[in-house]
């Protein structure tokens, strides 16, 4: 029956049980997105940061649950204060009276469900679980973008702040019935008479995560070794991801979970709810598929010179899914196709913009979730049909608030554009100051040496610590216990020519000499002083000779390799990359005694180093080192976490020249 602005449905216990089960299944599907995000991010980073990604995504869900229970849920769905913020229900409490209030995203009017007998607050608990899964998703979006160089504690703080404050307040604006952007209020109280329409969260979830990631990545700067090209189409040279298999698995798991993300946002399965849920899932499938195909077409025909890239397919799928999230219940089939095509355009434009600005997003979370989220809100204002709006929201508002292309005017589009701009500003005034504060306190980015070693060794090492200490003691003594037996072979293979006994050319000039291998420490107009420390580790056999590592004191504020460099211009340059073939690397050094082939310094005031202009003050990563575990493959080249700590502390001194 209808009582003024309140419509109440009286349902049986069996119907309510079905509704609760529907929402619980949706919550489980949305939570399963954590697995998809984790697999995708693990596949996108290097092996040395695998544990770091796994732990961050695990804590996203864990800390998110505590934060959502104690703070976030109340800010989102509590009693409103001027439509801006919730002020009650900070720890979930249930009434046990058989009445459970639905959230503002479920319907276009104040709606209550009551039953013919007393029941528990099952629906309230199911709704809490569903919304927590959404909150955890929003914070996880940032994880991949800032991977491989953010301090662990800084990330935990940012994720907690994002879940507890930034995301929760945004939910209140749109999905609380009295929020400032809600479309559940009286017509005269809604923005442009329609309110913002964001059915499942293109803006609320994905734009918040994507643009929060943008501010974090800007403050962090690019990863060490990443360089950007200037010509069109723009690109970047970056470390290769460790596993395309994990990436593909993650994307497909996300696609699967997205059916719960969008379809179960209907919150009800009885009556029109079943039609809404089914339609949302179908549109989700079409938009994701169209985004994949159109992204590959754009990439292969315009951006990649006929190369068909797996990354374009992955991000095309995700972009299409993000974009359809806002309008999955209100568009028609043709609209879903247009949303998918538009998402691929927004994704590639956003990606090219980030490359132009030299912003290093490891998993392209910003163009996928941020830019495609914007397109999702715009597409909702353009492509929402009158019929589907009527079936999903208030039927009386359908003629005024459907999409522009269906003859309903500019109201819905205007409201969504204002909402999108508000979200960008909101993330800028919340996340950006916190990132800047952490940056100023030297708490945001790891030091360069730790970045080179990898977070797994530096922070998440779980091996035998006594064995590591013994290994490092041997290294400090010159590695006699491990290398003595190989001394003659090393001298023959490296020190002299095997046939005529003539000394082979030194690998580099002006270098420290470690045994019979000479390697450089400096290649610029900088002298060796107390700002530098060196490390000598011998390896187990002649195929893995030691190489010498020299690093400058880190910049106090930014922890970049060179203390004299401007961090905004500094990128490690050159051909040396982790995972480069060891023989090829040594051959390159032998053929280029000057060491110019492995320059890792910045562009100087008069042009690039070696171009004839004034030389920039820079240092080089002169060599790789072998892990204390005894790496057997080039891909495992690493420095031990204990050695990294000792190097920073000055325990390990340079060998004699």
């Amino acid at each position: 029956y209808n009582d003024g602005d309140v419509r109440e449905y009286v349902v049986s216990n069996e119907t309510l049980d079905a509704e609760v089960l529907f929402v619980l299944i949706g919550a489980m599907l949305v939570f399963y997105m954590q697995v998809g995000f984790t697999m995708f991010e693990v596949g996108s980073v290097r092996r040395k940061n695998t544990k770091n990604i796994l732990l961050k995504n695990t804590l996203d869900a864990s800390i998110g649950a505590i934060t959502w229970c104690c703070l976030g849920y109340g800010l989102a769905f509590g009693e409103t204060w001027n439509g801006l913020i919730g002020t009650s229900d900070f720890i979930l409490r249930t009434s046990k009276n058989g009445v459970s209030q639905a959230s503002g995203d479920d319907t276009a009017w104040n709606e209550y469900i009551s039953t013919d007998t007393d029941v528990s607050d099952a629906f309230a608990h199911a709704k809490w679980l569903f919304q927590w899964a959404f909150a955890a998703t929003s914070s996880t979006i940032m994880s991949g973008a800032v991977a491989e160089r953010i301090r662990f504690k800084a990330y935990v703080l940012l994720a907690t702040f994002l879940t507890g404050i930034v995301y929760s307040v945004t939910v209140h604006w749109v999905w609380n019935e009295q929020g400032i952007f809600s479309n559940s209020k009286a017509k005269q109280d809604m923005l442009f008479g329609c309110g913002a329409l964001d059915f499942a969260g293109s803006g609320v979830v994905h734009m918040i995560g994507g643009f929060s990631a943008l501010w974090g990545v800007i403050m962090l700067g690019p990863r060490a070794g990443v360089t950007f090209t200037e010509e069109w189409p723009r690109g970047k040279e970056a470390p290769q991801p460790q596993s395309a298999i994990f990436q593909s698995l993650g994307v497909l798991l996300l696609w699967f979970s997205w059916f719960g993300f969008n379809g179960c946002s209907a919150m009800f399965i009885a009556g029109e709810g079943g039609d809404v849920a089914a339609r949302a899932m179908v549109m989700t499938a079409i938009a994701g598929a169209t985004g994949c195909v159109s992204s590959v077409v754009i990439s292969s025909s315009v951006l990649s010179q006929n190369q068909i890239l797996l990354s374009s397919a992955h991000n095309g799928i995700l972009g299409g899914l993000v974009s359809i999230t806002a309008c999955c219940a209100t568009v028609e089939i043709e609209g879903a196709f247009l949303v998918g095509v538009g998402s691929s355009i927004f994704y590639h434009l956003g990606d090219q913009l980030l490359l132009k600005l030299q912003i290093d997003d490891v998993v392209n979370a910003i163009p996928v979730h941020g830019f495609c989220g914007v397109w999702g809100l715009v597409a909702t204002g353009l492509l929402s049909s009158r019929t589907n709006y009527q079936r999903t929201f208030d039927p009386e508002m359908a003629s005024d608030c459907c999409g522009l292309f269906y003859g309903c005017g500019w109201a819905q589009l205007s409201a969504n554009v204002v909402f999108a701009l508000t979200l960008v500003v909101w993330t800028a005034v919340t996340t950006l100051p916190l990132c800047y504060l952490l940056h100023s306190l030297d708490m945001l980015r790891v030091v360069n040496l730790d970045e080179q070693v990898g977070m797994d060794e530096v922070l998440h090492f779980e091996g035998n610590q006594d064995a590591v200490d013994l290994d490092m003691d041997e290294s400090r003594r010159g590695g006699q216990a491990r290398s003595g037996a190989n001394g003659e072979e090393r001298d023959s293979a490296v020190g002299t020519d095997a046939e005529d006994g003539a000394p082979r050319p030194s690998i580099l000039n002006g270098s420290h000499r470690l045994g019979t291998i000479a390697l450089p420490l400096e290649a610029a107009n900088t002298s060796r002083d107390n700002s530098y420390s060196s490390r000598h580790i011998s390896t187990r056999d002649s195929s893995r000779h030691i190489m010498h590592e020299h690093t400058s004191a880190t910049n106090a504020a930014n922890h970049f390799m060179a203390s004299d460099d401007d961090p905004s211009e500094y990128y490690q340059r050159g051909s040396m990359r982790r995972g480069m073939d060891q023989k090829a690397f040594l051959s390159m050094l032998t053929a280029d005694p000057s060491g110019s082939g492995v320059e890792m310094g910045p562009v100087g005031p008069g042009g690039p180093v070696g171009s004839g202009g004034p030389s920039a003050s820079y240092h080089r990563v002169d060599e790789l080192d072998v892990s204390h575990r005894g790496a057997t493959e080039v891909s495992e080249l690493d420095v031990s976490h204990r050695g990294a700590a000792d190097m920073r502390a000055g325990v390990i001194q340079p060998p004699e020249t």
Side-chain angles (χ1 to χ4, degrees), residues 93-225:
R93 300 183 187 279
T94 52
S95 60
K96 299 295 182 183
N97 62 358
V99 177
S100 176
Q101 184 173 355
S103 66
D105 61 322
D106 309 328
T107 178
W109 49 76
N110 297 326
E111 180 176 63
Y112 294 80
I113 293 181
S114 63
T115 62
D116 53 2
T117 59
D118 289 339
V119 295
S120 67
D121 293 288
F123 191 85
H125 288 117
K127 173 189 169 183
W128 184 95
L129 191 70
F130 187 74
Q131 294 294 341
W132 158 67
F134 269 57
T137 298
S138 184
S139 63
T140 304
I141 292 170
M142 175 183 282
S143 172
V146 300
E148 299 200 302
R149 74 273 204 200
I150 191 171
R151 290 181 182 266
F152 188 81
K153 292 180 180 178
Y155 175 77
V156 170
L157 178 60
L158 285 169
T160 303
F161 179 70
L162 183 62
T163 303
I165 304 292
V166 183
Y167 170 78
S168 302
V169 172
T170 307
V171 170
H172 187 87
W173 292 348
V174 184
W175 292 344
N176 188 295
E177 297 165 353
Q178 298 303 317
I180 56 174
F181 290 104
S182 173
N183 64 353
S184 302
K185 300 186 292 186
K187 181 176 177 61
Q188 64 273 15
D189 297 329
M190 292 189 292
L191 182 65
F192 294 102
C194 291
L197 175 52
D198 189 5
F199 181 78
S202 289
V204 176
V205 179
H206 297 283
M207 280 188 64
I208 288 295
F211 282 98
S212 294
L214 173 63
W215 311 126
V217 169
I218 288 175
M219 295 307 302
L220 278 169
R223 290 167 290 169

Side-chain angles (χ1 to χ4, degrees), residues 302-323:
V302 179
L303 301 176
S304 302
Q305 298 178 346
N306 297 320
Q307 293 296 306
I308 302 174
L309 304 181
L310 180 62
S311 61
S312 294
H314 288 162
N315 291 317
I317 292 173
L318 296 178
L321 296 174
V322 168
S323 298

Side-chain angles (χ1 to χ4, degrees), residues 22-23 25-27 29 130 259-268 277 281:
F22 175 69
V23 176
I25 291 174
L29 284 172
F130 187 74
F259 294 120
F261 194 97
N262 288 353
C264 295
S265 290
M267 299 298 288
F268 301 103
M281 292 187 186

Side-chain angles (χ1 to χ4, degrees), residues 491-502:
D491 291 341
S492 175
V494 179
T496 61
D497 189 281
E499 296 182 358
D500 57 14

Side-chain angles (χ1 to χ4, degrees), residues 2 73 121 157 230 237 287 319 368 374 432 465 475 477 479 530 650:
N2 197 350
Y73 186 82
D121 293 288
L157 178 60
E230 297 295 333
E237 295 183 13
V368 166
V374 173
L432 182 58
Q465 194 61 59
S475 296
R477 292 192 298 268
N530 292 332

Side-chain angles (χ1 to χ4, degrees), residues 364-387:
N364 278 340
I366 298 166
V368 166
H369 297 275
F371 288 84
C372 290
V374 173
W375 164 240
L377 291 177
V378 172
T380 303
L382 296 173
L383 299 170
S384 294
S385 72
R386 192 188 309 267
T387 300

